[in-house]
Amino acid sequence: MTLLPLDTTPATPPECPAAPPPRALPRRPLGSATARHAVTLLPLVYLGVWAAVDWHAVRDGTARLAGADPWWLLAGLAFTYLGSVAAACVRQGAIPDRLPKGLLVASQIAAGAANHVLPASIGAHAVTVRFLRRQGVPLPRATASIALYSLVRALAKTPLVLAFLFTAPVAALLPDGRTLLLAAAGIVLAPTAAAVVVALLRPLRRPALDFVRTALTDARCLHTRPGRVLPLWGGAFAAPLIQACVVASVGKALGLPLTWPELLFAFLAASTAAGAVPAPGGIGPVDAALVLTLAGYGAPLPLATATVIGYRTLTVWLPLLPGMLVLSALVQRQRL
């Protein structure tokens, strides 16, 4: 028997999972000012090498876009940078911690440049994880947010494709059977390939399960907060539509004889079909699938090819230099 007063207040479990207290990474010098400047200039060196290797694509894209409508091209460029805002919304919605808005958008501009270096969005995710760690986010929560970000982005695309099919005449949107088969194969192969890799590589099983478990726990917490649900799913639904609007803007600038819904659906179907192929920034598989999809609608092959080249020019080459400069500035200021 004890004389101590009993606490009759019921304990309320915390909404969010317990996580280690945020601790900012120590800002250690790289060893010398020369080394820091060298790391800062590496992205620019890479940009020069890539431009030299792929000079023909740059020249052809510039020549084909020379006679295009400049206002539609300007609209496509605006949609390109609007995509960074949408990505920042999804990133913020995927993590409970509040992040500085300006730096978050800047990190996504830098991540967009890094995304064209490594396949399967590894470069973009690496930049984002580094940014989150600099903001004091624990590593398990940062990696879990990456998993939730990827899951939500993948899930949001399927309802968009179905919405286009149900809200428009099927005959007006559906291309030929070969393109539809390619899209269906991409939808099936993407999760299958991920499951096979995790099953075959035993060292990846535990980290993968830990990431999924933490992501699901955080997702349950985040979905109780409207301030996280709205940017998470709103940005996830907006991101592929914004990318599709870039393709549609380029198509309109070049006079492609397709309607706006057909251009949007063409990109959604092509990007879904090529999503199972890991390529830097999707370059290659998405381009081929998009040309096939546009040609399946009856668009002339030269115009379809020019549209894809213009899309890559607006989403890769024009934003690459500003993205690399932002990446270098964030590294220089120790934000990454």
Side-chain angles (χ1 to χ4, degrees), residues 147-197:
L148 182 58
Y149 172 91
S150 303
L151 178 63
V152 170
R153 287 288 299 265
L155 291 177
K157 190 175 291 186
T158 301
L160 288 175
V161 175
L162 295 177
F164 271 91
L165 293 178
F166 285 121
T167 57
V170 176
L173 285 180
L174 290 180
D176 58 8
R178 181 180 57 178
T179 305
L180 289 178
L181 181 62
L182 186 62
I187 295 175
V188 173
L189 287 179
T192 304
V196 169
V197 169

